[in-house]
Amino acid sequence: MEIMTCVSHQQASQLLHNKFVVVLGDSIQRSVYKDLVLLLQKEKYLSPRQLKSKGEKNFEQDCLVEGGTFHPMHNGTEYREVRQFQSAHHLVRFYFVTRVYSSYMRSILQDLRRDLKPDVIIFNSCVWDISRYNSSSLENYKENLHTFFAEIREILPKETLVIWNLTMPLGKTIRGGFLVPEIEHKASQLRYDVIDANFFSGTLADAYGMDVLDFHFQFRFSLQHRMGDGVHWNALAHRKITSLLLEHSAQAWGVIMPSPLSGVEHTEVAQLPANGSSKPKGVHRAVRTPKNRYHPPTNNFSNMERHPSRRYYNGYREEFYPDYPPFGFMNIPQPYAYCLPPHLRHGFDYRPPNNKHHQQNVMRSRRARHHYAPYTQLRYGQYGHHGRY
């Protein structure tokens, strides 16, 4: 029996009150978007069908803005899908991308340049980049990362919380929409290429002043939640991802998140007991926490008090492992990183241009941000003509 405590619907709704969130990436990032949209509305997990579906015209009160089923569906690099969820106090948008920088990405950046600036942007692009293009995929990925990070840093205001999340572990045997017959020979090597690409992209994102969340490290001991295709992950894993993202955002904004009202008890039953009273394998049921651990919120959102100190909130038990590497594990001095031998660097140069204030650590898991939109303040005009394309 394993217990997992997640960020609740109420906490997510309050934390992202009057916030605009943008999610960029592939099918896993689409599920990140879907789980966030679902959690903003109810205490419920994604169904297997919702995890597998793509391009549908509606999902939990959101709408398909562009691409998807509006056009013939395919698994090519030109596939497009833009989704958006809008409520009275939340705006969440998703862009499906197959390359970290391309002509299509430039059009997305133009949207961000001229439209409402997001409060949070969550993005990742890797697996398609290093598998579906030419033989110099890793080298091109490096160049595109430099270009993309430089433009993002220029476009977004300093108040925007920019989160680059590293690609999750791939299986030994993988199947997926991106794995067309022409590149099947790369499948066995791809999980190792992802590790290399994760290190370089995480190092570079940190050098450009972005927050980095290492989902590869977080899920290294949670492979039982990976789907049979070796690429995608189940609903429990995606709720953990959402919780990690929201927890990180709360810390960056100096918001203390109390223990949630309820957790989810995930019971793995090898066989039914003799009395036959147990529920079938994989059944989830809500578990109330002790009353002294939860205080109902007031109208001024006092249960999510803003505080200058940043505490680490971790409600996970044995099911998922926290991102607690030994002290100093990733504190690699920057000169060492720049002087890696060529056979380890694969031609990557992590140093951003003209950055005299680069941090000493290769990666950080969180970074403080000025919180400029209090929860009780309505930002007038945010959901007017910017609410849709």
Side-chain angles (χ1 to χ4, degrees), residues 114-317:
R114 66 173 181 260
D115 291 345
L116 182 70
K117 296 298 186 291
D119 298 284
V120 184
I121 181 167
I122 303 163
F123 57 127
N124 167 267
S125 184
C126 176
V127 176
W128 286 70
D129 293 76
I130 64 177
S131 63
R132 283 296 299 270
Y133 294 92
N134 53 43
S135 58
S136 303
S137 294
L138 281 174
E139 181 64 24
N140 292 336
Y141 184 52
K142 175 263 298 187
E143 295 174 358
N144 288 336
L145 282 170
H146 268 290
T147 306
F148 177 64
F149 289 158
E151 289 203 23
I152 279 286
R153 189 172 63 175
E154 174 191 353
I155 291 171
L156 298 178
K158 63 180 181 180
E159 293 88 0
T160 297
L161 180 60
V162 183
I163 302 176
W164 174 261
N165 54 267
L166 302 189
T167 304
M168 300 170 72
L170 296 182
K172 295 180 181 179
T173 304
I174 60 175
R175 305 184 303 276
F178 72 93
L179 197 66
V180 293
E182 294 86 341
I183 64 167
E184 286 182 349
H185 64 282
K186 298 182 179 181
S188 59
Q189 180 64 26
L190 198 55
R191 60 190 179 124
Y192 302 111
D193 292 339
V194 162
I195 294 173
D196 288 341
N198 272 344
F199 176 78
F200 296 125
S201 69
T203 302
L204 189 62
D206 178 78
Y208 273 97
M210 300 171 186
D211 289 32
V212 179
L213 288 187
D214 192 349
F215 288 160
H216 195 285
F217 180 87
Q218 286 279 355
F219 287 85
R220 71 201 187 282
F221 295 136
S222 304
L223 303 182
Q224 70 274 22
H225 297 289
R226 191 168 56 199
M227 306 293 279
D229 62 3
V231 178
H232 298 95
W233 296 74
N234 66 17
L236 280 173
H238 275 286
R239 183 53 47 88
K240 187 206 172 182
I241 291 173
T242 302
S243 297
L244 289 171
L245 289 166
L246 294 179
E247 171 198 331
H248 180 93
S249 301
Q251 291 175 338
W253 291 332
V255 176
I256 297 175
M257 296 181 66
S259 298
L261 170 63
S262 63
V264 172
E265 181 177 311
H266 179 56
T267 307
E268 295 290 349
V269 183
Q271 58 183 2
L272 294 178
N275 59 13
S277 60
S278 176
K279 292 183 178 181
K281 179 178 180 179
V283 168
H284 304 76
R285 61 185 178 86
V287 179
R288 299 279 295 194
T289 58
K291 292 183 179 179
N292 61 357
R293 293 184 57 194
Y294 175 75
H295 302 282
T298 60
N299 292 334
N300 61 359
F301 301 98
S302 62
N303 74 312
M304 299 195 66
E305 174 189 2
R306 296 187 63 226
H307 197 281
S309 64
R310 288 150 52 195
R311 302 178 183 177
Y312 190 89
Y313 163 76
N314 178 36
Y316 300 109
R317 301 297 188 267

Side-chain angles (χ1 to χ4, degrees), residues 20 33 57-58 61-66 70 82-87 90-95 111 114-116 381-389:
F20 175 28
Y33 159 84
K57 293 182 179 179
N58 298 104
Q61 309 304 316
D62 88 335
C63 64
L64 177 66
V65 177
E66 177 184 309
F70 289 151
V82 182
R83 314 194 64 85
Q84 184 164 286
F85 167 75
Q86 177 183 349
S87 69
H90 302 103
L91 181 62
V92 187
R93 186 180 297 167
F94 167 72
Y95 295 91
D111 286 348
R114 66 173 181 260
D115 291 345
L116 182 70
Q382 175 170 347
Y383 303 107
H385 67 281
H386 289 302
R388 62 177 62 225
Y389 279 67

